[in-house]
Amino acid sequence: MRGEGVDAQAQPGQARVGGGGAPEAVLPSAVVALPAALALPLRAGRPALVGRVHGDRLLLDLRTVPEADDGALLDAVRAVARPAPPART
């Protein structure tokens, strides 16, 4: 996505199982790190993408995203990251 002007980085990550039986269990994962400013537009988009903000980056954890959904995730990020076209007068 960098070639498209989006500051996106693939990074290793960790996910927590949370709750009930394994509140401290940590699972290896992979994340896509994006500018934190994309958090709200992605959450309001269709499909809604919810990540976590860490510092100035939005981390989208891919641990539970099926490979078949990669295209939809990419399209959602492209839709909010593109600059709006100039208004016609």
Side-chain angles (χ1 to χ4, degrees):
M1 293 201 68
R2 283 186 168 205
E4 298 178 39
V6 179
D7 180 13
Q9 301 169 338
Q11 301 176 348
Q14 293 182 333
R16 292 206 179 266
V17 175
E24 298 300 319
V26 176
L27 301 173
S29 188
V31 300
V32 175
L34 299 164
L38 296 180
L40 204 54
L42 284 170
R43 194 174 305 134
R46 292 196 190 269
L49 298 182
V50 179
R52 67 184 183 277
V53 175
H54 183 75
D56 65 346
R57 304 298 284 172
L58 168 64
L59 305 179
L60 298 179
D61 194 315
L62 303 178
R63 187 175 62 84
T64 60
V65 178
E67 190 174 333
D69 290 343
D70 286 353
L73 187 139
L74 187 57
D75 290 344
V77 172
R78 282 180 177 140
V80 301
R82 274 192 201 123
R88 291 186 161 188
T89 56

